């Protein structure tokens, strides 16, 4: 367990995916993998339409990394041999050993194939086993029932709904559903259950 609570831009290796620090060089393959604007339906920003717009999103992520301690990743599909999405650590709270996993999107053709689950498993393992997190939180749009089921599948507990939590780029006032996993839950059953599911 790390003595200091600071996630680092490292590479996280899985069977299906590799998470690598997000860089501008990923803009072109990420744009090519997007496939459909609905991929960004529940994201805080509008779906990019050009490589330049994807680069802008990446630059913003890098700025947040510098200012807030976020760690953004590009998701590499081992099978497809290309970058197919992105995710990140954010809302890092060192004094409370708390962190959030979020900002996840996957290209249209790469959804519902287990990639998202493995991404979260890799990040949870790093957060709890390497950083020594006491709490990892995940949140999603209340309209996104698929994401809610996927988060619950990980073993996260639903904590409630933050009403009118975020004003999205299209003006929609998002109700945010909050989930979390504590270090005790991770140690007692969540880690072992996820390990069996990923076999």
């Amino acid at each position: 367990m790390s003595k200091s609570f600071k996630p680092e831009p490292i590479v996280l290796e899985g069977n299906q995916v590799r998470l690598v620090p997000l860089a501008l060089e990923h803009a072109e393959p990420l744009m090519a993998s997007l496939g459909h604007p609905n991929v960004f339906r529940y994201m805080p920003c509008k779906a990019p339409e050009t490589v330049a717009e994807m680069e802008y999103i990446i630059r913003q992520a890098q700025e947040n990394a510098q200012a807030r301690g976020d760690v953004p990743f590009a998701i590499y599909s081992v099978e497809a041999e290309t970058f197919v999405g992105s995710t990140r650590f954010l809302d890092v709270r060192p004094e409370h050993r708390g962190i959030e996993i979020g900002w996840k999107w996957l290209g249209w053709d790469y959804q519902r194939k287990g990639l998202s689950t493995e991404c979260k498993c890799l990040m949870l393992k790093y957060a709890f086993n390497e950083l020594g997190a006491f709490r990892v939180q995940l949140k999603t749009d209340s309209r996104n029932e698929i994401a809610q089921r996927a988060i619950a599948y990980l073993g996260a507990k639903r904590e409630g709904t933050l009403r009118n939590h975020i004003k999205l780029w299209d003006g929609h006032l998002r109700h945010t559903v909050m989930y979390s996993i504590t270090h005790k839950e991770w140690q007692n059953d969540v880690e072992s259950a996820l390990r069996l599911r990923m076999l």
Side-chain angles (χ1 to χ4, degrees):
M1 183 179 75
S2 173
K3 291 183 180 179
S4 64
F5 193 82
K6 182 181 179 184
E8 299 291 343
I10 62 172
V11 176
L12 299 176
E13 295 267 3
N15 296 320
Q16 297 185 79
V17 300
R18 183 182 309 128
L19 300 182
V20 304
L22 184 64
L24 285 174
E25 66 193 49
H26 300 134
E28 190 168 342
L30 287 177
M31 194 64 221
S33 76
L34 190 61
H36 196 288
N38 272 359
V39 168
F40 268 63
R41 180 182 178 190
Y42 302 113
M43 297 294 285
C45 63
K46 182 177 180 290
E49 298 179 359
T50 65
V51 172
E53 290 181 357
M54 184 67 79
E55 288 176 342
Y56 177 75
I57 291 173
I58 292 173
R59 286 193 186 93
Q60 284 192 314
Q62 292 173 333
E63 289 173 7
N64 286 339
Q66 289 292 323
R68 306 175 187 172
D70 294 2
V71 178
F73 296 98
I75 302 169
Y76 180 85
S77 166
V78 174
E79 180 181 6
E81 298 183 339
T82 190
F83 292 96
V84 299
S86 182
T87 187
R88 71 184 69 168
F89 285 121
L90 65 156
D91 194 15
V92 183
R93 298 177 301 123
E95 66 276 24
H96 304 295
R97 303 191 85 84
I99 198 169
E100 180 176 324
I101 295 173
W103 261 89
K104 191 274 301 176
W105 66 267
L106 279 171
W108 190 256
D109 293 333
Y110 305 97
Q111 299 183 15
R112 298 176 181 82
K113 294 185 177 182
L115 303 184
S116 178
T117 299
E118 188 171 58
C119 286
K120 289 185 176 67
C121 287
L122 290 170
M123 296 173 78
L124 286 167
K125 184 177 179 181
Y126 176 73
F128 284 117
N129 297 352
E130 300 299 326
L131 292 180
F134 291 156
R135 167 190 169 89
V136 175
Q137 69 181 33
L138 306 98
K139 64 179 186 281
T140 188
D141 194 305
S142 63
R143 300 169 296 173
N144 193 346
E145 295 180 358
I146 292 174
Q148 291 175 55
R149 289 195 295 269
I151 294 171
Y153 176 78
L154 296 171
K157 298 290 191 295
R158 180 170 175 152
E159 296 180 322
T161 302
L162 306 179
R163 299 178 301 162
N164 288 359
H165 181 224
I166 299 171
K167 182 180 179 182
L168 300 181
W169 62 271
D170 61 357
H172 176 78
L173 290 175
R174 185 179 103 165
H175 302 327
T176 298
V177 185
M178 298 291 298
Y179 293 81
S180 72
I181 300 172
T182 69
H183 66 303
K184 292 296 185 183
E185 292 165 345
W186 176 256
Q187 294 165 1
N188 291 341
D189 53 22
V190 173
E191 181 180 18
S192 57
L194 286 177
R195 189 184 297 116
L196 289 173
R197 290 171 186 169
M198 298 307 294
L199 290 177

